[in-house]
Amino acid sequence: MTSFLKPENALKRAEELINVGQKQDALQTLHDLITSKRYRAWQKTLERIMFKYVELCVDMRKGRFAKDGLIQYRIICQQVNVSSLEEVIKHFMHLSTEKAEQARSQAQALEEALDVDDLEADKRPEDLMLSYVSGEKGKDRSDRELVTPWFKFLWETYRTVLEILRNNSKLEALYAMTAHRAFQFCKQYKRTTEFRRLCEIIRNHLANLNKYRDQRDRPDLSAPESLQLYLDTRFEQLKIATELELWQEAFRSVEDIHGLMCMVKKTPKPSLMTVYYVKLTEIFWISSSHLYHAYAWFKLFLLQKSFNKNLSQKDLQLIASSVVLAALSVPPHDRTHGASHLELEHEKERNLRMANLIGFNLETKPDSREVLSRSSLLAELASKGVMSCVSQEVKDIYYLLEHEFLPSDLALKVLPLLNKISKLGGKFTFASSVPEVHFSQYVPALEKLATLRLLQQVSNVYQSMKIENLAGMIPFFDFSVVEKISVDAVKQKFLSMKVDHMKNVVIFCKTSLEADGLRDHLASFAEQLNKARQMICPPDAQRSKHGGLLPTLPEVVAKEHKRLLARKSIIEKRKEEQERQLLEQEREEESKRLRLQKITEEAERKRLETEVELRKKQRLKMEMEEKDKEEAQAILQEAEKRFKRKGKKPIIEGGVISKKTLVELALIEQHREKQEMEKKLQKLAKTMDYLERAKREEAAPLIEAAYQQRLVEERVLHENEQQQEVELSEQRHAGDLKEKERLSRMMGHKEIYQERVVSHRQAEFNRLRTESEERISRILQSRRQERDKMRKLKYYLIVEEERRQKLREEEEAQKREEAERKKKEQAERQAKLDEMAEKMRKREQEIAEKIEREKREALLGRPTEPAMRPYEPPARPLESRPAVSVASATPAPGKYVPKFRRAGAETTAAAPPEADRWSNSGSRPDGDRWERGTSFGGGSRSSSSWSSSRNPRDRP
């Protein structure tokens, strides 16, 4: 390893080695200088050395040397002059690209040179033998020998530069530019393998950026400029991936963009989001994910409608039609029917992942099992007003396939619409990066959907059908294809049918009344009947019966609806408040973290600045001392050479070499040499003055003679040129006269032809005018007849309307009379009912008075008629009564008893026992009450009191 006092010396040495053809030694010399720890302070000379160094690395294809040198130069320039490193890297990439292009041009030129007619004449025996042995063509060998090494070196250059510039906040723009150039390299030369590696390299760089957050000069993704550079790089990666048809890598690029947005929680510009959703539509269509493809189109429609103020009606109609057709292309049956629990969970996670990608949601939804489905998508299309923007053909096919019930001619009505749709499409004017849209790609899926709808509707109407009839109803496919489609639908429980090839019939299995298909069929049948009834007998504008019966029902429904809305708004407000509190908490934590990080970085920066300043001062001091020593040594050597050349010796006081002494001696010597030089210059100037004056005196007469001779020659030349011009003019004039005389003979023929053409055209014009007048007269006559027909038709319609109005009025009058008659009958019936009710009330009152009267007579001891009693309780047998009651009924001896009491007692005692109508006298709940009544006053009173208490009318 050779050491140099100055970097310029190393550069000179390298140039000398290059001139003698030793480029490897020159490269090694510069490499030793760059990697040496002696030259760690940046200076302009090092930049020139790096330019020469990268040129040598490119010429010799030394990628490892270039990487080592650039890493060392980055260490030198990082804190002092980053722009110098940027210039060196740009120069390095420019040289590599230029060499690769030159190699490619040479290979093309070699291929063209070998493209001759006679191959045997140009081929040498060794070339023919090589082609037979290796089996390669000339282009393959030239590419392998010339182009491939330089392309490998160019690819290595891009990887080296990306590795050097990664995660450096001061070189973000250069990093993005390098990534874009690497993407263009892969696109231009169809390098799919290198493109995958490049995407992986950029992805690892971003992962390391998030992993090592405390590294120095780390880019801040929250800054708008940094975020825009990273997003532009990812979007360029997405575009190139789709152009190279690397769909898996394109999907991973979409996930990279989504992850970057989740990381910084910012939405990019609408123009970038347009490219994002368009590329998603391409990716999902290629992967046959029709549902996600439709959702991507729907999000693109909402984005353009919300943010693009200059969106034309044509573009809006094109996007809306694409959305509807993509939604219709989604299969109507569920693919996860009958799947296992593991498959359902996997599908749930996939739906959640796709929902985040398509909707660009930054938060997960726990209840998102039904986030993405065909039914929800069609409902959103209807609610967002997409159907009002689509073309008429798309709208017609949507209503045919989703709302109409036409079992026999559904496919025949869909076929012309599909032919029209296949010719539609176009390119968007608001985004040049969006490819042209062709609706023909949706035609196969729509044909399959129409086939499924027809099979579904036919299965609701027929039980069996011949295969020929069913195949004739489906013009899209052969029956073998229809059979495959039906097998898939039956497997997914969308249809229930069997194909019997022995009997050549299709059997639609019977379904129960609770089946969804039959229920929809009956509902649609009821709707069609209701429409037919309304067309035949239009309803009268009369008050609803339910309105009279339930007058408060609308108010109750409205109150309940308002209550539910209020509850929903309260829940939404609570959710928003909770989310806001969480966001505030996260924002405070992030701000605390950023403050701590900022304080730590500030302290680290101050410490590093202090250390750098201290090292800088020490380095400057050492450099100044070394520089003084070197200057003193150089001055001493120069003085010794000068004095030796003049035969003198330098005078040094005391034999001590000092810079001051050497400088003084050098100044004295320079002053003396300057005086001697001035004397020499004065003498030389005087000599030159004399010599110049003598030259001019001798040259003056010679110059005058040459000038006179030049005048004579130019006059003769002018006269000759003028004479030649006159002769040429005469010749041209004579030729023009001959041409005129030759053409004048054709004038008569020209006039005859002109007159014939004019007359023919005049006749043709007159004929066309006559035909036009006749056609106009016929049109006027037909229009006049049409107006007469219209007037007669209007008069007929008016008369018919008056007749119908008169009939309606008569019917209404009859209805009013019928209503009045019914009202009178109802009033009479109500009067009769009131009269009967009054009679019943009076009868009940009489019965009640009679009962009361019987009660009073019973109390007074008078006999009553048993037939008039409303209710008579059964008499209990005497033997079943308690002994106390018997004793109380028998008067005690020696005590006075009234006559009416004695009679009542005798009657009571002599009365025969009556059959008990109760199953058990002891189980009667009112037995005790009856016994207490008997003990107090005799049998008749107790019997009447018990009967009155047991009367059904007196029950509560």
Side-chain angles (χ1 to χ4, degrees), residues 20-174:
V20 297
Q22 299 179 4
K23 290 185 179 182
Q24 182 64 37
D25 295 338
L27 180 63
Q28 188 64 43
T29 300
L30 295 180
H31 182 267
D32 295 340
L33 176 71
I34 294 169
T35 56
S36 175
K37 295 182 179 180
R38 184 176 181 180
Y39 304 101
R40 291 298 176 90
W42 183 86
Q43 49 185 321
K44 191 66 176 177
T45 308
L46 286 177
E47 184 176 347
R48 296 199 305 270
I49 290 172
M50 282 303 301
F51 277 117
K52 180 61 70 176
Y53 181 76
V54 296
E55 289 175 3
L56 287 173
C57 291
V58 171
D59 288 339
M60 303 176 67
R61 294 202 293 268
K62 299 290 184 179
R64 181 64 61 185
F65 278 85
K67 185 175 182 179
D68 294 342
L70 289 173
I71 290 174
Q72 294 297 327
Y73 194 63
R74 181 188 63 182
I75 296 172
I76 296 171
C77 299
Q78 181 68 33
Q79 304 298 330
V80 182
N81 190 1
V82 183
S83 60
S84 177
L85 176 62
E86 185 174 353
E87 294 297 329
V88 171
I89 289 176
K90 286 181 179 178
H91 186 63
F92 179 43
M93 289 193 297
H94 173 71
L95 291 175
S96 301
T97 307
E98 187 177 0
K99 287 290 185 180
E101 290 294 333
Q102 289 179 1
R104 187 164 175 265
S105 302
Q106 291 177 3
Q108 290 180 355
L110 182 61
E111 181 185 359
E112 293 175 358
L114 292 175
D115 189 11
V116 294
D117 296 334
D118 191 0
L119 294 177
E120 295 182 359
D122 294 336
K123 288 281 186 178
R124 296 176 299 174
E126 53 270 20
D127 294 336
L128 291 173
M129 187 177 295
L130 180 62
S131 64
Y132 292 147
V133 173
S134 63
E136 293 180 336
K137 297 182 180 179
K139 183 178 184 302
D140 298 334
R141 286 196 299 274
S142 60
D143 289 345
R144 182 167 53 83
E145 295 173 359
L146 299 176
V147 182
T148 304
W150 283 111
F151 275 13
K152 287 183 178 178
F153 180 75
L154 181 58
W155 168 245
E156 189 178 356
T157 300
Y158 287 134
R159 291 194 58 173
T160 300
V161 174
L162 290 175
E163 188 67 25
I164 291 171
L165 301 178
R166 65 184 178 91
N167 301 337
N168 196 328
S169 60
K170 298 180 181 180
L171 297 169
E172 289 176 342
L174 184 58

Side-chain angles (χ1 to χ4, degrees), residues 291-292 295 298 347-359 361 363-378 380:
L291 179 61
Y292 307 135
Y295 265 99
F298 181 54
E347 184 67 20
K348 178 181 176 181
E349 294 178 0
R350 186 165 181 263
N351 278 345
L352 181 59
R353 181 182 176 189
M354 295 301 114
N356 290 333
L357 284 180
I358 296 171
N361 299 322
E363 297 180 0
T364 58
K365 298 180 180 179
D367 53 347
S368 59
R369 179 177 289 276
E370 297 296 334
V371 171
L372 302 178
S373 64
R374 188 177 188 271
S375 57
S376 61
L377 176 59
L378 292 175
E380 286 188 14

Side-chain angles (χ1 to χ4, degrees), residues 459 490 493-498 507-511:
S459 65
V490 169
K493 303 298 182 181
F494 184 74
L495 290 175
S496 180
M497 59 178 290
K498 298 178 181 178
I507 302 171
F508 299 102
C509 301
K510 295 182 179 180
T511 57

Side-chain angles (χ1 to χ4, degrees), residues 220 321 507 517 730 800 878:
D220 186 11
S321 301
I507 302 171
E730 291 177 354
E800 185 67 19
L878 293 176

Side-chain angles (χ1 to χ4, degrees), residues 440-476:
S440 58
Q441 62 180 353
Y442 300 111
V443 170
L446 293 176
E447 291 177 349
K448 185 177 179 181
L449 176 63
T451 303
L452 288 173
R453 291 296 186 201
L454 188 142
L455 291 174
Q456 183 185 26
Q457 295 176 8
V458 167
S459 65
N460 293 332
V461 177
Y462 299 99
Q463 291 184 353
S464 63
M465 180 181 287
K466 289 186 178 181
I467 293 178
E468 294 82 2
N469 297 336
L470 184 60
M473 294 169 64
I474 304 174
F476 310 124

Side-chain angles (χ1 to χ4, degrees), residues 594-839:
L594 290 175
R595 283 198 299 270
L596 292 175
Q597 183 179 357
K598 188 175 181 181
I599 292 171
T600 306
E601 291 178 354
E602 186 69 21
E604 183 68 17
R605 186 180 61 79
K606 288 182 180 180
R607 185 183 65 81
L608 292 175
E609 288 179 355
T610 305
E611 293 180 357
V612 169
E613 191 68 26
L614 182 61
R615 287 197 298 270
K616 186 176 180 181
K617 289 180 180 179
Q618 293 177 357
R619 186 176 67 253
L620 290 175
K621 185 177 179 181
M622 293 175 62
E623 288 179 356
M624 290 176 64
E625 292 176 357
E626 291 181 358
K627 189 175 182 180
D628 291 340
K629 291 180 181 179
E630 291 177 357
E631 290 178 355
Q633 190 71 22
I635 292 170
L636 179 60
Q637 292 177 1
E638 188 177 354
E640 288 178 355
K641 290 179 181 179
R642 189 184 307 111
F643 284 114
K644 285 180 181 179
R645 185 170 60 252
K646 295 182 179 180
K648 300 179 181 180
K649 293 183 179 180
I651 301 173
I652 300 173
E653 297 178 357
V656 179
I657 301 174
S658 63
K659 182 179 179 181
K660 184 177 180 181
T661 304
L662 294 174
V663 169
E664 289 177 357
L665 290 174
L667 290 175
I668 293 171
E669 184 66 23
Q670 288 178 1
H671 183 65
R672 187 178 59 77
E673 291 180 354
K674 185 177 180 181
Q675 290 178 353
E676 293 179 357
M677 184 62 67
E678 287 178 354
K679 291 179 182 178
K680 291 181 179 179
L681 288 174
Q682 289 177 0
K683 184 177 180 182
L684 181 61
K686 190 174 182 180
T687 305
M688 293 296 293
D689 190 13
Y690 290 157
L691 183 60
E692 186 66 23
R693 186 182 298 113
K695 285 182 183 179
R696 292 186 180 182
E697 288 177 357
E698 292 293 332
L702 297 176
I703 292 172
E704 182 65 25
Y707 175 69
Q708 294 298 330
Q709 185 179 358
R710 180 69 178 273
L711 289 177
V712 174
E713 292 176 355
E714 288 182 353
R715 188 179 298 110
V716 173
L717 181 62
H718 174 69
E719 291 176 355
N720 292 333
E721 290 180 353
Q722 188 173 6
Q723 183 64 29
Q724 291 177 1
E725 185 66 25
V726 171
E727 293 177 356
L728 288 174
S729 297
E730 291 177 354
Q731 292 176 2
R732 282 196 296 269
H733 180 68
D736 292 341
L737 290 177
K738 290 180 181 179
E739 186 69 17
K740 180 180 179 181
E741 182 180 358
R742 187 178 65 85
L743 295 176
S744 61
R745 293 178 298 172
M746 305 177 187
M747 186 61 66
H749 298 285
K750 175 252 184 185
E751 291 176 354
I752 293 170
Y753 176 74
Q754 181 178 359
E755 183 178 358
R756 188 189 313 138
V757 170
V758 169
S759 62
H760 178 70
R761 290 183 179 177
Q762 183 66 30
E764 184 68 19
F765 172 73
N766 294 333
R767 184 182 62 79
L768 293 175
R769 183 172 61 183
T770 304
E771 292 178 355
S772 177
E773 291 175 355
E774 292 177 354
R775 186 172 64 256
I776 291 170
S777 62
R778 286 196 300 272
I779 291 172
L780 292 175
Q781 183 66 23
S782 63
R783 289 181 179 176
R784 193 178 300 110
Q785 293 175 0
E786 187 68 23
R787 284 197 298 270
D788 293 340
K789 289 181 181 179
M790 290 300 296
R791 281 197 296 270
K792 291 178 181 179
L793 181 59
K794 287 181 180 179
Y795 175 74
Y796 172 73
L797 291 175
I798 291 170
V799 171
E800 185 67 19
E801 183 64 26
E802 291 176 354
R803 186 181 65 81
R804 291 183 179 179
Q805 183 68 22
K806 188 175 181 181
L807 290 175
R808 283 196 295 269
E809 291 176 357
E810 291 177 357
E811 290 177 357
E812 290 177 358
Q814 291 178 1
K815 289 180 180 179
R816 285 196 298 271
E817 292 176 358
E818 185 69 20
E820 291 176 358
R821 186 180 60 79
K822 289 181 179 180
K823 190 175 182 181
K824 289 180 181 180
E825 292 177 356
Q826 185 70 21
E828 292 175 357
R829 191 182 297 109
Q830 186 66 30
K832 290 180 180 180
L833 292 174
D834 293 341
E835 184 179 355
M836 293 174 66
E838 184 66 21
K839 290 180 179 180

